[in-house]
Amino acid sequence: EVQLVETGGGLVQPGRSLKLSCVASGFTFNNYWMSWTRQAPGKGLEWVASITNSGGSTYYPDSVKGRFTISRDNAQNTLYLQMNSLRSEDTATYYCTRDPAGSDYWGQGVMVTVSS
Amino acid sequence: DTVLTQSPALAVSLGQRVTISCRASKSVSTYMHWYQQKSGQQPKLLIYSASNLESGVPSRFSGSGSGTDFTLTIDPVEADDIANYYCQQSNELPLTFGSGTKLEIK
């Protein structure tokens, strides 16, 4: 059974940093691109970052480019999202996803609240 | 960026057929995917690459389209289908989602 379990969320002050983790199981992790997608409270879905299966390439929208870094440890079956210079508009539930064609598996999500 | 436009809400009677549309601001070929999100849950992939039914998804769901116009069809609609439905394109970066269509039962 495929499972994606995110951890690391919480309340953080504006300008500070936070690192999310996503532990994957039930599939060959290093065969798949992975992504982070977020959803602000009561709002729609927004793509945050993607990484190739080897970790050699990463992709971001302009809204987080230069502030967020996606990475992976294929030996540990773990995906990461390092978030720096956090802003109030980054407040959202962050989902880890597996991406063969579309996102076929989603974690349960982890809440990040940026507030003073 | 490719903007995806969806109707905000649709109301349908149980047992009827409903089509949810998604229009892209430029061609995305068939790199269009559909998700269902029930209240308090993570999204679930229903259709990938415009018309391919994800494994385990009931055959009541189907997708069609290419280029800029896409539809998700549910036939017949069941009570369990009350949810928000999102389209997403993966033809180009940044990946973008539609704003979602809320399906309501009459």
Side-chain angles (χ1 to χ4, degrees):
Chain A
E1 178 193 8
V2 172
Q3 285 197 316
L4 300 171
V5 180
E6 304 100 332
T7 57
L11 174 64
V12 61
Q13 293 179 326
R16 304 298 291 267
S17 299
L18 203 62
K19 187 172 186 176
L20 306 182
S21 300
C22 169
V23 175
S25 60
F27 65 101
T28 304
F29 184 65
N30 61 14
N31 281 355
Y32 291 87
W33 284 44
M34 300 291 293
S35 295
W36 291 94
T37 296
R38 68 185 179 185
Q39 187 170 36
K43 303 297 184 182
L45 300 166
E46 181 187 16
W47 169 66
V48 171
S50 294
I51 188 167
T52 57
N53 55 317
S54 67
S57 294
T58 57
Y59 307 92
Y60 308 91
D62 288 345
S63 58
V64 307
K65 194 175 296 182
R67 300 189 300 122
F68 289 12
T69 302
I70 188 172
S71 61
R72 64 191 297 161
D73 181 341
N74 284 343
Q76 298 294 323
N77 290 349
T78 303
L79 179 72
Y80 301 101
L81 184 68
Q82 176 68 48
M83 303 184 291
N84 299 332
S85 303
L86 282 161
R87 306 167 179 167
S88 58
E89 56 263 37
D90 295 319
T91 294
T93 296
Y94 286 73
Y95 296 101
C96 164
T97 70
R98 188 180 86 163
D99 295 339
S103 299
D104 65 348
Y105 282 94
W106 296 62
Q108 83 287 351
V110 62
M111 185 69 198
V112 172
T113 302
V114 183
S115 175
S116 55
Chain B
D1 297 5
T2 303
V3 176
L4 304 180
T5 301
Q6 297 182 246
S7 298
L10 279 175
V12 62
S13 300
L14 294 177
Q16 297 301 303
R17 178 177 183 264
V18 66
T19 57
I20 298 171
S21 65
C22 177
R23 174 162 287 176
S25 60
K26 63 179 84 167
S27 175
V28 300
S29 183
T30 57
Y31 294 100
M32 182 66 76
H33 320 293
W34 289 94
Y35 301 88
Q36 176 193 65
Q37 186 178 32
K38 296 180 180 178
S39 180
Q41 297 184 15
Q42 67 268 55
K44 173 186 176 182
L45 179 66
L46 299 175
I47 301 289
Y48 64 94
S49 302
S51 61
N52 297 282
L53 189 68
E54 174 68 3
S55 176
V57 174
S59 59
R60 303 183 289 104
F61 293 89
S62 62
S64 64
S66 66
T68 61
D69 291 295
F70 298 85
T71 57
L72 171 70
T73 300
I74 311 172
D75 186 15
V77 170
E78 298 184 357
D80 188 51
D81 300 334
I82 296 174
N84 287 307
Y85 292 85
Y86 294 93
C87 55
Q88 180 208 26
Q89 67 81 23
S90 60
N91 180 63
E92 66 169 23
L93 296 178
L95 306 180
T96 51
F97 289 88
S99 55
T101 297
K102 183 175 184 179
L103 187 64
E104 300 169 329
I105 304 299
K106 287 181 183 176

